[in-house]
Amino acid sequence: MRLLWELLVLQSFMVCLADDNMLHGPVFLQEPSSVIFPLDSEEKKVKLNCEVKGNPRPTIGWKLNGTNIDIGMDYRYSMVEGNLLINNPNRTQDTGTYQCVATNPFGRIISREAKLQFAYLENFKTRVRSTVSVRQGQGMVLLCGPPPHSGELTYAWIFNEYPSFVHQDNRRFVSQETGNLYIAKVEASDVGNYTCVVTNTVTNSRVLGPPTPLILRNDGVMGEYEPKIEVQFPETVPSAKGTAVKLECFALGNPVPTISWRRADGKQIPRKARRHRSNGLLEIPNFQQEDAGLYECVAENVRGKNVARGQLTFYAQPNWIQKISDVHAAIEENVFWECHASGRPKPSYRWLKDGEPLLPQGRVQIEQGSLTIRNVSLSDAGMYQCVAENRHGTIFASAELSVIAVGPDFSKTLLKKLTLVKVGGEVIIECKPKASPRPTYSWKKGKDILRENERITVLDDGSLRIVNVTKSDTGSYTCVATNHFGTASSTGSLVVKDPTRVMVSPFSMDVTVGESIVLPCQVSHDHSLDIVFTWSFNGHLIDFEKDGDHFERVGGQDSAGDLMIRSIQLKHAGKYVCMVQTSVDKLSAAADLIVRGPPGPPEDVTIDEITDTTAQLSWRPGADNHSPITMYVVQARTPFSVGWQAVSTVPEVIDGKTFTATVVGLNPWVEYEFRVVAANLIGIGEPSRPSENRRTEEALPEVTPANVSGGGGSKSELVITWETVPEELQNGGGFGYVVAFRPFGTISWMQTVVASPDASRYVFRNESLPPFSPYEVKVGVYNNKGEGSFSPVTVVYSAEEEPTKAPITVLARSLSATDIEISWAPPRENQHKGRIQGYEVRCWRHDEKEENARKIRTVGNQTSAKVTNLQGNALYHLAVKAYNTAGTGPSSAMVNVTTKKPPPSQPPGNIIWNSSDSKIILNWDQVKALDNESEVRGYKVSVCQHRQWDCDHAQPPMGPAGSPDGALAVPILLHWVLMEMFAILY
C-alpha cells in the first residue's frame, strides 16, 4: 500500500500541473525584514513576519545566527501563524540574524536574513569638563564624545542656557559624524559655556553632556594663519546606490576660510548635489554609478589654502535579473538551473538543497549561478535555492525539483568488477541500481543465496558488508534488486590480500629552531599492490613541491617513506602523521614535534600609572616556545626619538617571572609609547604591540638655553640671542623664556618675558643706551609649573656707533691695464667716534652710476687695497669709508685714475730659427701697437725642454734682453725647443 501511495503522489505531478490544489513544496509569500527596536519602547514585543504556502501545509521554524530556535524552551518566544513574536526582548540574548525555515514532505527552504538590532542611548558618564582657554582669533574644537548608543544620532550644541543653540555659519560648524563643535576663528562673543546635545533618531531620546567653559587667554591675539582642515571625509567613502551621500568639510583659520567643492577628475559636481551650512556639507541625493569619483574640498583665505580629498566608490546590493523555477524530471534526465543577479561588487553564488549547502561532487556540477544535476535520481528530489551575495547583502531564489519513478536498472551502476580487501579487514560492496520506488535487495555468492550472519550484513541501501574478511570470502557476488516495476541484478568479484603493517613508526622529538631531523616511516606490505606514502602536518597534507625548502621525502625504497625536515622553524611544531595506503587498506602513524625557539611577543602592554619622569607598566607573557623566558627589556618611542630606544627600569634587570616594571628617567610632558621584548636562552623574541600613547605629567623646566650670546644690531640696541630649548625638554605647556641683563659691574638685573617657545632672540631698545658697552646677560626658562633656572652669565656688547669721520690722504695709481692700487690714512684718533673694524673701497667707471660701484672690504688696520679685473685705458673714480658692525661711516674725497692701455694684441710673426753649434738664432717680424695699445718696448723669449709642455713656467734663456729689432741668439743646446713670443709692455 505504501508503494502504491508513493506512485499516486508522483503521478499527481504529471496529471494535475494546473490544479491549484496540487501537492508542492513550500513557497514564501512574505519573508522577514530587519527591525531596529527601541529599548525604551512601551510595546515590549518584537514581531518578525513569515508567510508560506505549500501542500501539504508547511511547518515553520526559525533560526537565530544559524542555530534553530526551540520555541518551547523559552517562554518569551511564540509563533502566531508562522510569525515569530519575542516578548520582553533582551539586547544581549536577542540581537542577531533571524531566518524563517519552511518544511513539508517535498523539502525545506530558508528565508532571507533579517537582522534584529536594539536602539538605545545612555547618559554621559563625565560630570565635569575642563575649561578651554584660547586666544582671540585662534581656531578651536570642542569634543562631544557621545555616550554608548545604538542607532543613528544627531548633534547640536547649547550656548550658555537652553534654548540658546549654537548657530552654524561659515565660522561655526557641528559635525554630524563626530558631534564635535568647530569654531574657525574665536571671537570675544564666543566666551561662555557649551553643552553637547545628542539625540537618537530611532528612540527620539536626548541626553545632554557636561558643559565646557570657554575663556579667552590674556597673552595676546592670534595672528593670521592659513586654513587647517579639521573636519574631512575619509579617503574612501563606499556609497550605496540610491542613498543620499553626505560629505563634511570644515577648516580653522584666520581670516575665516571659505569652503568650496570640486571633482579631481575635472567633471562637474552633479547638479542634484546640495550644499548646506556655508558649504561645510555636500549632499548628493540618489547616488548613482556616474556620481562616483575623487572629490576635493578646498579651504582658502588670504594666508593660503588647503585641500582634502576622498574617493566616493559605488556599491549596490544584489538584485535578481534571472531566478530559477520549478522542474519536473524523470530518472536519469539532466537538470539545469541558472540564476543571475546584478550588484557591485559582482555577486558570488552558492546553492542550497532543503536548506543545507549543496556542494559540487559527482553528478552535481556548480559554476557560480548555474547548477547541473546529471542522471537525476529520486534522492535528488527536493527544494533548491540559489543564493546571490556580496558584502552588502544576500538574496534567495527557490525552486522545486520533482523526480518520476522507474524500475531497477543496473545499466549505469554495475557492481564493481573487482574488489580488493585485506585479511581481517572490512569490505562494503555497493549495490545502487536506478530505481523508484526504492527496491528490495538480496545477494548471491556464486550460485548460492547469501545468508546474513555476524560477519555478513545487507545494509539499508542494498550494499553488502563483510567484516573480519578471510581468504575463504574470495569469489563472485551478485546483487538482485526488485520493485513493482521489475527485477535486475549485477555481479562482481572479491579478492582478499595480506594486510599492510608499520614496522618503524615516527617518534616524538624535541628540537631547537634551525636544526634538521628525519621522521622514519617504514612498513611491510603485499608487494603485488602499489603503495603510497603521504604526510600531514597539523591535519593538512604536506605539499613537497610548494614546501620543498623545509620538507623532503627520503628513504629510496617502496617500503620506506621517511620525512626530512630542514632548518626547522617555530611554525613547524605540531603533529606529523605518516599515512600509508594501498588499494586494499590504509593506516597511519603519528608523532609530535616540539620546537624550542625565542619567545613570542608579550601581550597587552599597559601603562598603569604615569608621572612626570616615570611610567608603571604591566604586561602578559607571550608564548615561551618551550624555553623559559629569562628576561624582559622595555623600549620606548616618542615623536622626537629615532625609532625605539631601550629605557632604564626598576628593577634594572627584569626576570622572566616579572610582568611589571617602572620606567624611569623620562622627560616630563612628552608623549610616550612602550613595548616589551622577551628573551630566553635561545634568543631574543619579537617585540610586543606598542602600548597606548600617554603623555608624562608637567614639571618645572630644567634645561636652560645654550650658546647665549648677542651683539650687533642698530644704534641704541642690545641684541641677545640663544639656542631654543627642544620641545622634548620643555617639561610642560606654556613654555617661554626670561631674559635678564644689566650693565657690566652693576647689581640690579632688568628682566623681560619672551612667551614664544620658538623665540631665539630679544632686542632691547633705549635711546640712552651707550654704544658698544658691555652687559651681563643670562636667559632663564618657565612653563605652566613655574620658573626654571638661568643660563650662565655671559657678556654681550650693545650696538656700536658708525664711524663719524672719513679716511684721509687717499691716493690711487694705475698698475696695469686691469689693476689699480689705492691707499689712505685712517682718521685722526681724537677726531672720530665709533670703533673701526676695517675699510670699504668703492670703485666705479666714469660712465657708470655710483650706486653700482664695486665694493672691496679690508679687515683691521690695512690701509691699502688692489682693485683688479678693470677695463684698460678707462677713467675710474674711487672713494673709501670706514666701517664696523653698526655700518659704514662718511665717504672720503673721491679720487680719479685712468688705467693703462692694454698690451699689443698681435703676437710676433714669421718666426725663423737656425742652429749653430750651441746656439739657436731667432728672427721675427716686429709688432706695431695699435692706437689704443701700449707701445712695444721689447720681446720675451721662453724656452722649454722636450715633453715640458708648461712653457708658462719655463726659464727664459740667459743673455741680454730681447730687442725691438726682432733677433736673438740663444746659447743653449736643446733636443727640442718650444718657443712662445709675446710683446712685453713696460
Side-chain angles (χ1 to χ4, degrees), residues 584-841:
V584 300
D585 60 357
K586 60 181 178 180
L587 64 162
S588 62
D592 292 317
L593 184 62
I594 297 175
V595 181
R596 303 185 187 277
E603 300 174 352
D604 296 336
V605 177
T606 305
I607 304 174
D608 298 323
E609 184 179 352
I610 196 162
T611 67
D612 55 347
T613 59
T614 67
Q616 179 71 38
L617 304 183
S618 62
W619 60 89
R620 291 193 297 108
D624 64 5
N625 292 326
H626 307 289
S627 178
I629 296 172
T630 57
M631 67 177 297
Y632 292 98
V633 175
V634 178
Q635 298 175 339
R637 181 172 64 181
T638 75
F640 315 105
S641 64
V642 180
W644 291 92
Q645 307 289 334
V647 291
S648 300
T649 60
V650 176
E652 185 175 354
V653 177
I654 308 170
D655 63 49
K657 296 181 179 179
T658 301
F659 311 123
T660 62
T662 300
V663 182
V664 297
L666 303 179
N667 290 331
W669 200 240
V670 172
E671 277 196 350
Y672 282 89
E673 54 181 342
F674 301 93
R675 69 181 188 183
V676 180
V677 181
N680 59 18
L681 294 178
I682 297 174
I684 299 173
E686 293 292 322
S688 68
R689 289 180 178 273
S691 69
E692 61 177 330
N693 271 313
R694 286 279 296 275
R695 187 187 287 272
T696 50
E697 295 178 352
E698 294 180 302
L700 286 174
E702 297 178 353
V703 177
T704 60
N707 294 330
V708 177
S709 60
S714 301
K715 182 180 178 181
S716 303
E717 288 184 347
L718 175 62
V719 179
I720 303 169
T721 61
W722 61 89
E723 288 186 8
T724 58
V725 175
E727 183 180 348
E728 64 267 30
L729 301 177
Q730 293 174 3
N731 287 13
F735 184 84
Y737 301 94
V738 179
V739 181
F741 54 95
R742 66 185 178 188
F744 190 83
T746 61
I747 297 176
S748 299
W749 291 92
M750 290 180 281
Q751 290 189 356
T752 187
V753 172
V754 180
S756 171
D758 300 321
S760 60
R761 187 173 187 265
Y762 172 71
V763 179
F764 174 69
R765 296 179 179 86
N766 193 314
E767 293 298 330
S768 62
L769 202 66
F772 205 66
S773 297
Y775 280 78
E776 290 183 303
V777 172
K778 59 183 180 180
V779 180
V781 289
Y782 72 92
N783 62 18
N784 290 338
K785 298 292 285 186
E787 293 189 15
S789 56
F790 280 89
S791 66
V793 176
T794 188
V795 176
V796 174
Y797 284 82
S798 61
E800 298 184 272
E801 191 176 18
E802 302 94 337
T804 58
K805 293 294 183 178
I808 59 176
T809 319
V810 180
L811 300 173
R813 67 188 183 96
S814 175
L815 299 178
S816 66
T818 59
D819 300 337
I820 292 175
E821 183 181 63
I822 182 171
S823 62
W824 60 89
R828 294 183 178 85
E829 291 188 7
N830 59 353
Q831 292 184 353
H832 78 92
K833 298 179 181 179
R835 183 173 61 108
I836 296 177
Q837 287 185 294
Y839 297 91
E840 180 180 276
V841 177

Side-chain angles (χ1 to χ4, degrees), residues 12 18 115 157 176 247 345 352 370 426 431 463 478 500 717 794 799 816 893 977 986:
S12 67
K115 292 185 178 180
W157 285 78
Q176 295 304 311
L247 304 179
L352 306 176
S370 67
E426 175 183 321
C431 179
S463 300
T478 302
T500 304
E717 288 184 347
T794 188
S816 66
V977 180
Y986 289 94

Side-chain angles (χ1 to χ4, degrees), residues 845-865:
R845 209 169 55 238
H846 180 70
D847 57 354
E848 295 177 335
K849 295 182 179 180
E850 182 177 356
E851 54 263 27
N852 296 329
R854 290 174 55 186
K855 296 177 182 178
I856 301 172
R857 283 199 168 190
T858 67
V859 179
N861 297 325
Q862 181 180 340
T863 57
S864 66

